[in-house]
Amino acid sequence: MKDEVSLESRVADEAPGGSQLVDGIVSLDPASQLQRGLKSRHIQFLALGGAIGTGLFVGSGASLAIVGPVPLWLAYLSMMLVVWIVMNTIAEMTTYLPMRGITLPYFADRFVDGSLAFALGWNYWYAYAILVAAESTAGSILLQYWDTPVPSAVWITIILLVVLLLNIFAVSVFGEAEFWFASIKLITILGLVIVGIVIMAGGAPAGGAIGFHYWHDPGAFKEYVGTGATGRFTAYWTAFVRAGFSFITSPELIGLAAGETVAPRRNIPKAARRFLARLALFYGVSTLIVGAIVPSDDPHLLSPESNANASPWVIGIQRAGIRGLNHVINAAILTSAWSASNAFLYSGSRVLYSMAATGQAPRVFARTNRRGVPYLAVLATWAVGLLAYLNVSENGARVFGWFSNVSTISGFIAWIVIMVTYLRFRAALTVQGLLHTLPFRTVAQPYATWATLAIVILLTLTNGFQVFSPSRWNYQDFLAAYITIPAFLLLYLGHKLWFRTPFAKKAEDIDVLTGKKEMDEFCANDRPPVAKNFAQKIWFWIA
């Protein structure tokens, strides 16, 4: 057990105004804790909005074309469970210490090792930055659907400028914008599910109930890199890896925003508990339907050969003969690209700011404007998003595939580190007799984390297995699949060799006390809102 000297030894300096900072970044000042701009509805829609993006609206079409409807659906169900476990580990740690300034690299440093935190921080930063480019590329692909005379470069510029403006102002502006962006996405998904059911039942102008006809013709499975049972399994595994892009970094958004969230010990568990149910509705149901209304051999599905410019949902609506709705849906899906890019720019800038404040990145990125926004970190993260202009000279589908692959593996590596960090955090609480003090505990822990850790490691190592087939070898795809692994190891081992840090802290030496008392006192003042009527009850349940 640590004594009271622990807190004093961890206080690195003072923030402007005299408030104490722990480890150079985390604030324990009571007044600082009150400056939180993200409300319950913001935090819930931030996490859900980050999970519902172009991976579902656009990327699912690429998977459908490669593997067929059943592997697509099973892969998304499998990835939902993985994401739920990762979300639970983050929620447990952040509700225990929801201090202003916390990030997941901060927890990795505090509970495991400084070198791991350094590598994780930079891994997160370039993953988020590349995701800004990926979403901007997806947005330009969607805009090409209308075959306008405006060049792709102009559309990419507009998308990037909008997300920059939304992030350069106060966090409350960002949170409000993300709330409305996510609301549009949720309404769109619900509408698409209803339309999909109508099409399957025969209510579309084209007539005839199609049900699951396309599961029989052209088929439920498309064998991939093999034949028979092997080809069907590799099809599922490929879809499983690709499904990661739809969810990558979405559970982390709650962790990154915890320090700026009102009533974190009430709102973070609330968002975490509902996350799986909402994912099941939006991903489980929607991927089942999209595989039923679009055949996997449709030539318009996203692929390097087709350079398609439409979501599979739009393709399905067109095939059903529903006029006009395809344009409305494509416009709504376009806002999802803006929304996801908006959230990723926010997250990447906060990671870079945190690293700068702790000396793991140039100090200049720790500068903030009078609204508290780290504007230089925002600009640096946004600048990487300019890679989206590769879409001007390359096939849009191929560029989107490169970006999605690199960011997916970066996300898998981050999840591995998060789960290792959680296991060390839990081990420290157990050894020090503090496990009972966890404000939020989730089911089947730590066994669920161990099992999920093994699965994600396997996904990371095998994500590009198809490139080793002689007929499929492509050095560009190989680099996109595996370049992130040596990059992470170089960051980790380079930092460890330079600073001679220990492999990992002993469980009994891990500090799980600093800030706990202050957070207990801060959260004890929280008073949940009381609904005055039935409408408010519904609203409080939703948001």
Side-chain angles (χ1 to χ4, degrees):
M1 295 279 291
K2 301 284 187 294
D3 54 25
E4 293 302 318
V5 178
S6 172
L7 174 59
E8 297 174 3
S9 66
R10 295 184 69 91
V11 175
D13 50 26
E14 291 191 348
S19 62
Q20 289 184 323
L21 291 180
V22 178
D23 299 320
I25 181 63
V26 174
S27 173
L28 296 182
D29 179 57
S32 173
Q33 301 302 324
L34 297 176
Q35 300 168 11
R36 295 169 178 256
L38 298 180
K39 300 176 182 178
S40 172
R41 60 190 174 93
H42 294 152
I43 193 71
Q44 292 195 63
F45 278 65
L46 178 62
L48 199 57
I52 299 176
T54 50
L56 173 63
F57 290 126
V58 179
S60 59
S63 294
L64 178 61
I66 293 172
V67 303
V70 171
L72 172 69
W73 182 52
L74 294 177
Y76 272 88
L77 292 179
S78 303
M79 190 55 69
M80 277 164 40
L81 293 176
V82 170
V83 173
W84 182 55
I85 299 301
V86 175
M87 166 72 82
N88 285 343
T89 63
I90 294 172
E92 285 195 24
M93 290 188 292
T94 54
T95 51
Y96 183 80
L97 291 172
M99 303 174 291
R100 276 187 63 82
I102 60 168
T103 61
L104 295 171
Y106 170 79
F107 283 139
D109 182 19
R110 182 162 168 176
F111 301 143
V112 188
D113 167 48
S115 297
L116 193 65
F118 175 80
L120 177 64
W122 283 106
N123 175 75
Y124 262 131
W125 179 72
Y126 66 68
Y128 282 124
I130 290 174
L131 281 167
V132 173
E135 296 296 339
S136 300
T137 299
S140 68
I141 291 173
L142 290 165
L143 282 160
Q144 290 169 24
Y145 176 71
W146 289 294
D147 195 24
T148 66
V150 180
S152 296
V154 175
W155 291 128
I156 292 171
T157 301
I158 293 171
I159 294 170
L160 289 172
L161 285 176
V162 170
V163 298
L164 175 63
L165 291 174
L166 290 174
N167 272 269
I168 212 70
F169 295 109
V171 67
S172 58
V173 174
F174 159 80
E176 198 65 32
E178 187 58 25
F179 171 77
W180 290 109
F181 269 142
S183 298
I184 293 172
K185 285 196 285 190
L186 299 184
I187 294 170
T188 301
I189 281 286
L190 288 173
L192 288 173
V193 167
I194 294 171
V195 170
I197 293 172
V198 170
I199 293 173
M200 292 172 67
I210 61 173
F212 290 94
H213 169 74
Y214 296 137
W215 284 32
H216 302 285
D217 181 20
F221 282 83
K222 293 180 72 172
E223 295 175 352
Y224 186 66
V225 193
T227 58
T230 300
R232 290 191 293 272
F233 175 77
T234 53
Y236 158 75
W237 195 256
T238 298
F240 194 8
V241 173
R242 286 173 169 264
F245 175 69
S246 298
F247 300 96
I248 281 306
T249 71
S250 59
E252 291 95 323
L253 292 174
I254 280 186
L256 287 169
E260 298 181 75
T261 302
V262 176
R265 285 189 179 168
R266 170 164 50 87
N267 290 325
I268 293 174
K270 183 179 179 182
R273 289 190 188 102
R274 296 175 181 179
F275 197 63
L276 182 64
R278 289 176 175 176
L279 286 183
L281 172 62
F282 297 121
Y283 274 102
V285 176
S286 61
T287 52
L288 179 66
I289 291 176
V290 80
I293 65 174
V294 182
S296 59
D297 60 355
D298 189 292
H300 296 97
L301 288 171
L302 188 69
S303 71
E305 290 74 29
S306 71
N307 194 25
N309 50 26
S311 160
W313 289 101
V314 175
I315 295 171
I317 290 170
Q318 282 182 309
R319 292 179 66 95
I322 304 175
R323 296 181 178 276
L325 185 59
N326 53 324
H327 298 290
V328 174
I329 296 302
N330 202 63
I333 292 173
L334 178 61
T335 66
S336 79
W338 250 311
S339 170
S341 187
N342 186 40
F344 293 140
L345 180 55
Y346 167 83
S347 303
S349 64
R350 293 323 188 260
V351 168
L352 184 58
Y353 165 77
S354 175
M355 290 192 296
T358 55
Q360 294 180 330
R363 287 280 182 180
V364 67
F365 295 120
R367 293 182 182 176
T368 60
N369 60 21
R370 59 189 179 86
R371 299 183 183 90
V373 176
Y375 62 96
L376 291 178
V378 170
L379 288 171
T381 308
W382 178 82
V384 178
L386 298 176
L387 286 172
Y389 287 108
L390 284 172
N391 189 39
V392 176
S393 59
E394 281 283 354
N395 177 293
R398 180 170 291 278
V399 172
F400 180 75
W402 290 341
F403 288 152
S404 63
N405 208 331
V406 170
S407 55
T408 297
I409 304 311
S410 294
F412 284 164
I413 292 173
W415 288 355
I416 291 169
V417 177
I418 287 170
M419 286 184 279
V420 169
T421 300
Y422 170 76
L423 291 170
R424 297 305 299 157
F425 164 71
R426 190 179 178 93
L429 290 178
T430 301
V431 168
Q432 298 178 34
L434 296 171
L435 190 60
H436 67 281
T437 65
L438 268 178
F440 177 54
R441 298 180 67 171
T442 55
V443 299
Q445 297 292 5
Y447 311 108
T449 299
W450 279 111
T452 306
L453 178 61
I455 292 171
V456 177
I457 290 174
L458 193 58
L459 285 169
T460 303
L461 296 177
T462 62
N463 84 93
F465 73 91
Q466 65 274 4
V467 302
F468 297 107
S469 173
S471 62
R472 295 178 181 271
W473 169 256
N474 182 305
Y475 78 91
Q476 295 171 322
D477 293 339
F478 173 79
L479 289 176
Y482 289 106
I483 190 64
T484 306
I485 298 175
F488 180 85
L489 292 175
L490 182 64
L491 288 167
Y492 172 69
L493 295 175
H495 186 277
K496 186 165 287 295
L497 291 173
W498 184 266
F499 291 99
R500 305 289 180 180
T501 60
F503 177 70
K505 299 174 183 177
K506 296 180 180 179
E508 58 269 23
D509 295 332
I510 294 174
D511 179 12
V512 290
L513 288 180
T514 300
K516 177 68 163 57
K517 177 176 176 290
E518 288 80 1
M519 290 301 98
D520 289 344
E521 293 174 351
F522 168 68
C523 293
N525 297 323
D526 175 42
R527 295 293 180 270
V530 178
K532 297 179 180 178
N533 50 55
F534 183 71
Q536 280 193 346
K537 286 183 179 180
I538 295 176
W539 175 248
F540 289 161
W541 185 87
I542 294 173

